[in-house]
Structure formats: C-alpha cells, structure tokens
Amino acid sequence: MAQDEDLRVLVELKKKPVPAISVFGDTDGKAVAKLLWSYLGGWEVRLITPEDEDLLRHEAENCALLFIVINTPDDPKVLISRILSSDSDVVADVVAITRTNDPELRLKIQAQGFDNIIGWDQLETEEFRHLFYHKLRKGIVRLNARIKEKEYKSFQAYLSAAADAFIVFDQDRKLFFVSRLFREAYPKSAEILIRGVPVQRAFEAMAEEMGINKDDPQYKTIKEFWLTLAGQMELELDAGHNVRMTAVAMPDGQGTIVSMTDISDYKTQERYLAEKQSALESALESEQEASNLQKQFISMVSHEFRTPLAIIDGNAQMLQRRQNEMKPEDVMKRTKTIRSAVSRLVHMMEAVLSSNMLKTGRLDVFPEPMNLAQMIQELCDEQADLAKDHQFETKLDQLPQLLRLDRKIMTLVITNLLSNAVKYSQQDPKIAIEAKKEGKNIIICVTDNGVGIPSEELPQVFNRFYRASTAGTIPGTGLGLSLARELVQLHGGAIDVISEVGKGSIFRVILPYTT
Ligand code: ADP
C-alpha cells in the first residue's frame, strides 16, 4: 500500500462528520429550512440548503434526511431524487415536499423515487414533527452504521496488505479481523473466526484445532492468555512446531492485536545451544574429575613415599650414631632394611613415573597378561620387609596362572590395602591375603585383626579425606581408599569392606575375570 493511501485510511478512520439534513429547492424564502430548524433544538445535526444539484450530491452521503421541494411530476428536480435513491452511499430517506393537494399528482411525484411525500400544509402538524424525528433518528443510525462499515473496509484493506499472521479484537473483545496468514494457520476454525465472535469462542476453536484439550498442561496458559488478551505466550505444537503469540493493546482502548510468530527455528537453535552447553559442562566436569583424581593420586603417592623414607632415615641415623658399637650382623640387618625400603621406593616411583596420570591427568587402563599370585606375593614380601612385626599369610592357589590386569593399578591398590592392614593392626600382627577366581570374577581379600571400623562409618571410608573414628592417632590422609576405589572402578571392578570394631576388617576387591 502506498504511503499517501495509508494516510488517507488513517484520516478516514478519524473523520466522523456531523449528520446533516439537506433541504433542496427551498426557494420560497427558505421557509421549509427555517421550520425544520425550529424543530432541531438539542440535536447535533447540520441543516444545509445546497444551491445546486452538484452541492446536493456532494453532501448527500453525509445526510440523515433529504428534502426536495417539488410541485409537479415533470419538475427537473425529480431526476436528482432518482439518482440519490439509487446511490448506495446515500442512506437518507428522500422526502418530497409539495404544495399540490391533488392526490393523483402527489402519487405521480412520489413514484419518481421518493420515500415519502409531504404536503406543504402538513409541515406544521404534530404528525409531521413526529415523522420528521423518527426519520431523522433512523437516518442517523443508518449513517453511523455506514460510516462504521466504511471504516472497517478501509481498515481491512489496510490490514490485509500486512504480511503477518495476526488477529484483531475490538474494545468489546469481539473478533474484528483475522489476517490471511493467521487464518491459514487455523483453516478448520475458519467458520468460527469471523467478525463479531467473542474471544472465548475464538480461543476454544483454536485450542481444539491445535489439539490442546482441557487436560493438556498448555491449556491453562492458552486460556489465560486469550482471556486477558495481554502479554506473550509460547506454544509447543506437534512435530517440533513452536509458535509465539503476542498481544498488543491498540491506543485509546480500541482493541487488541494478537500477532503470531513461528519460532520453531529459534527453538531448534535454542535446543542446539542447550545441548552444546550441557556437552561442554559434562566435558568440564570430567576434566575436573580427572584433575581431582590426579590430585588424589599425587597425595596418596607422596604419602606412601613417606613410610619407606622414614625407615631409611631411621636406620641410616642408627648406623651413623652407633657405627662403632654395632655388630656386623646388625649393620647387615639395617642395611638390608634400607635396601628393601629403597627398592620399594624405586618400585613405587617406577609405577608413578611410567603412569599416564602425571602426563595427561587421566589414568588409562592397560590390561596385560600377568601373574597376579606372584605380584601379591612380592608385595606381601615387601610389606613384611618394612613391617617386621607383621606376618602375612597368603592363599593364592585358586588363582589362574595368567590374568589380564593393569599392573600399575593392581600394585597401587594392593599396596594400599596391605599397608592399611599393617597400619591399623599394631596389636595383632596376623594379616591374611586370599585371592581366587569365583565365577566370572577375581576376588582379592585382605583381612586383618586390627582396630576395625564402626559399622555406621563403613559407607564413608571410601570417601576422600574420610578417616574413621577408630584411626585415632595413627597417621594418615584419608586418601588411599578413595583412590583405590577409583582405580578398581576404572578396571570395571568394585571394592567393599566388612569390619567389626576391635576385631578387624576384611577389604574385598572384585574384578571381572578376563584372560
Ligand atoms: P588413611 O589410612 O591415610 O587415613 P585411607 O583412605 O587409606 O586413608 O583410609 C580411610 C580410613 O579408613 C582410615 O583413616 C581408617 O579410619 C579406615 N581404614 C582403612 N583401612 C583400615 C583397616 N584395615 N582397618 C581399620 N580401619 C581402616
């Protein structure tokens, strides 16, 4: 629509002319006009007396009532009455006023296209006055209706040009206009979405067409939106179809425009971004987990290093202080202890340095064929070397010769369980290690007769930094078991514990059996 046309529509919408009464051919001192004027007190109307036919025709559209003074059927003014009464824009009744009393002539005049004919002598009667008011009232009603209709048509023409999906309600919340695109969105409701339908009825039809019934969680939102005709709502329809409805009030309470936008693409983008974000978050989470594991690993390893270092230092001090008084076998015993501690350190250092953990922050599992029984035996011997007062009893004959396990992981887990068994059983030196194949699993049990763990604390001993109340003053960090559990889980296995305070504990590692 061109811009000047736009303007015309808007101007037309605003212009509301005052209804007029037109008296034409009132040449006799404007007597008719003067008389009618005297009847018009209190009416908001204009009284006009056009000089010629052109002016009359120009004003006729805005008239509520038209009078033409005419005396004979062949008066040329009858032509104008015909033109006026066949003009669809003229809503006023066309009334002839005549001086003739001849009924035949009157009939002839009226037949020329007049709605009524009034005799000059009737003008001052009470009956005419009533007829005049009646016709005027009707004329004004028709005029207003025509103006409204014209406004609607212009508005409709204006709105139809807009390439948007929207629906307009008037100030009485009745449907005023539905745009083509909106109508296309609800083809089945076309019969209901017509001018004058109350918003409630329109909403029910649309909800039904969308397949949203009263049980649908979206129904309440839609109902609230349509019944308040305010704000915004988003709907998820079938097959990932999303729409957004926005209600905007028109100025001066003239009504409300509800626009509808297809936001399916936007929603798809939004979902894509949300997925990306959650992928990033979980990547970050596993990154953090890896870094936590790395920290635990380093803490545990440094803790495990301290014990042999203390042994080395203690024995070295002894040799330094008492080198002259010591018997050769004592010296031998001390140096042997030192060497065993050194070998344990070297062993652990190798495990640590060759582990991927320090390089990548991730501990990967590299299962390889190995002799688990032999490994457990060696680790027990090492521990026995370090903890002279303890005895290790092993039962490993039920184990298959070769198992596919990660050597480093197994070293770390078993060392940890053995050193805990020693540490928490200073009063009773017997430690039993049993490993066997049971069904599809390999089970390793480390049993001690030490301080035990209260049953209510058992679920927590595998948590980071958790130390049971029975640990007392025994040194420790609370990290070993949590790392052991992580490592066993990495290997597809599990770890648990049975314990009784004062009697001892059994730590059990279960691993899937693979050859
Ligand atoms: P740490 O021994 O350095 O404290 P761990 O993670 O190895 O840390 O063990 C966590 C806690 O579990 C210990 O503090 C201790 O209370 C308890 N615990 C572990 N092993 C035993 C055991 N064999 N006997 C009794 N308590 C144990």
Side-chain angles (χ1 to χ4, degrees):
M1 195 179 272
Q3 228 181 355
D4 52 347
E5 261 179 305
D6 269 8
L7 207 64
R8 190 180 59 76
V9 170
L10 290 178
V11 169
E12 249 182 33
L13 285 176
K14 290 208 160 38
K15 193 176 89 183
K16 270 222 173 90
V18 176
I21 298 170
S22 176
V23 185
F24 184 58
D26 187 17
T27 46
D28 204 355
K30 298 204 175 171
V32 179
K34 280 181 189 157
L35 182 75
L36 296 180
W37 184 248
S38 71
Y39 293 163
L40 282 175
W43 287 77
E44 206 193 321
V45 286
R46 292 179 296 141
L47 189 80
I48 50 174
T49 52
E51 292 298 320
D52 56 40
E53 284 185 17
D54 282 346
L55 286 174
L56 169 65
R57 283 173 64 178
H58 184 73
E59 280 288 352
E61 276 183 29
N62 298 323
C63 284
L65 203 45
L66 284 157
F67 291 97
I68 298 177
V69 181
I70 204 155
N71 285 319
T72 57
D74 49 5
D75 186 324
K77 288 201 286 287
V78 296
L79 280 177
I80 189 73
S81 81
R82 293 204 156 189
I83 293 169
L84 293 175
S85 53
S86 59
D87 185 340
S88 64
D89 280 337
V90 178
V91 293
D93 272 358
V94 188
V95 179
I97 294 175
T98 182
R99 284 181 194 278
T100 178
N101 286 325
D102 179 349
E104 205 173 316
L105 268 184
R106 281 193 177 194
L107 214 58
K108 272 191 181 155
I109 294 171
Q110 191 175 354
Q112 298 298 320
F114 290 98
D115 294 294
N116 286 88
I117 185 157
I118 307 290
W120 195 268
D121 50 347
Q122 288 173 288
L123 289 179
E124 285 185 61
T125 63
E126 202 54 19
E127 284 74 26
F128 172 71
R129 232 172 112 118
H130 284 306
L131 183 76
F132 170 66
Y133 289 143
H134 172 70
K135 282 193 175 294
L136 183 58
R137 206 172 289 119
K138 280 193 111 178
I140 291 171
V141 168
R142 285 204 294 263
L143 206 56
N144 283 340
R146 204 220 42 220
I147 291 170
K148 244 184 156 178
E149 192 55 31
K150 217 170 167 190
E151 265 185 11
Y152 177 70
K153 290 232 167 78
S154 323
F155 196 38
Q156 199 181 35
Y158 178 66
L159 293 178
S160 304
D164 288 317
F166 61 90
I167 184 165
V168 184
F169 291 91
D170 65 15
Q171 59 266 59
D172 301 324
R173 303 160 63 79
K174 291 203 166 125
L175 205 156
F176 180 71
F177 181 81
V178 186
S179 82
R180 186 177 54 78
L181 282 181
F182 195 96
R183 198 178 289 283
E184 277 171 15
Y186 300 100
K188 286 190 209 142
S189 307
E191 276 179 24
I192 288 155
L193 296 181
I194 50 171
R195 193 176 165 197
V197 159
V199 65
Q200 166 99 28
R201 184 78 195 90
F203 138 71
E204 279 165 4
M206 287 186 279
E208 195 181 322
E209 185 157 356
M210 279 190 270
I212 296 177
N213 58 28
K214 289 198 169 97
D215 310 324
D216 195 302
Q218 293 190 99
Y219 185 86
K220 216 177 134 226
T221 323
I222 309 178
K223 187 171 172 181
E224 202 173 295
F225 174 79
W226 284 108
L227 298 192
T228 51
L229 276 183
Q232 201 170 63
M233 71 157 176
E234 284 179 12
L235 286 178
E236 200 179 327
L237 307 175
D238 51 342
H241 193 63
N242 295 78
V243 291
R244 174 185 293 152
M245 302 251 184
T246 312
V248 180
M250 289 195 282
D252 305 324
Q254 289 182 76
T256 311
I257 300 179
V258 178
S259 65
M260 182 170 71
T261 325
D262 190 324
I263 51 163
S264 307
D265 285 351
Y266 162 77
K267 282 281 165 188
T268 314
Q269 290 283 340
E270 200 178 56
R271 269 193 294 273
Y272 173 74
L273 283 177
E275 274 164 26
K276 273 263 172 278
Q277 174 154 356
S278 89
L280 278 174
E281 274 167 9
S282 67
L284 186 68
E285 217 168 87
S286 57
E287 195 60 34
Q288 273 168 350
E289 255 171 42
S291 122
N292 279 346
L293 194 63
Q294 190 184 25
K295 279 187 203 140
Q296 280 184 53
F297 178 84
I298 291 167
S299 310
M300 193 211 74
V301 163
S302 53
H303 168 69
E304 294 297 321
F305 273 25
R306 256 183 229 124
T307 322
L309 279 173
I311 293 168
I312 295 167
D313 195 40
N315 284 285
Q317 279 185 34
M318 182 71 81
L319 285 170
Q320 199 178 31
R321 265 188 277 123
R322 298 174 53 191
Q323 52 181 303
N324 297 329
E325 332 146 17
M326 275 177 107
K327 291 187 205 137
E329 345 41 294
D330 277 346
V331 174
M332 193 55 118
K333 208 174 129 194
R334 298 279 172 192
T335 42
K336 214 178 148 199
T337 309
I338 290 174
R339 290 201 62 195
S340 140
V342 167
S343 111
R344 172 156 163 67
L345 271 177
V346 169
H347 193 97
M348 284 199 321
M349 264 178 67
E350 268 171 9
V352 169
L353 293 177
S354 60
S355 146
N356 257 359
M357 175 68 95
L358 289 178
K359 285 181 233 147
T360 63
R362 271 191 22 235
L363 206 136
D364 297 315
V365 187
F366 290 113
E368 52 184 328
M370 58 166 278
N371 188 330
L372 182 65
Q374 192 186 335
M375 170 190 264
I376 293 176
Q377 193 58 59
E378 279 169 17
L379 292 173
C380 284
D381 292 347
E382 259 178 37
Q383 283 295 330
D385 243 4
L386 290 169
K388 292 282 183 244
D389 299 332
H390 282 80
Q391 294 119 41
F392 294 83
E393 193 182 301
T394 52
K395 190 166 183 294
L396 308 165
D397 51 356
Q398 304 278 324
L399 270 182
Q401 265 280 305
L402 284 180
L403 291 168
R404 281 184 70 81
L405 293 168
D406 183 303
R407 193 174 277 278
K408 288 173 204 107
I409 289 181
M410 293 321 295
T411 308
L412 287 167
V413 172
I414 294 166
T415 308
N416 192 262
L417 294 182
L418 291 177
S419 68
N420 272 354
V422 170
K423 196 160 69 170
Y424 296 105
S425 65
Q426 293 303 322
Q427 282 79 15
D428 194 312
K430 281 198 193 65
I431 292 167
I433 301 100
E434 186 184 359
K436 59 185 175 190
K437 175 176 171 291
E438 208 175 83
K440 289 181 175 164
N441 294 321
I442 297 294
I443 315 273
I444 306 162
C445 287
V446 179
T447 309
D448 65 56
N449 302 294
V451 294
I453 302 162
S455 59
E456 66 278 8
E457 294 181 39
L458 284 177
Q460 296 170 78
V461 291
F462 296 101
N463 291 348
R464 268 189 96 197
F465 301 116
Y466 188 82
R467 304 205 68 217
S469 52
T470 42
T473 54
I474 303 166
T477 57
L479 286 166
L481 283 182
S482 79
L483 182 75
R485 182 174 64 174
E486 298 257 16
L487 295 173
V488 168
Q489 284 172 350
L490 266 181
H491 217 304
I495 184 168
D496 58 19
V497 56
I498 306 169
S499 186
E500 202 176 321
V501 175
K503 291 213 164 148
S505 315
I506 305 172
F507 281 86
R508 183 172 67 151
V509 175
I510 306 158
L511 294 162
Y513 168 60
T514 43
T515 49

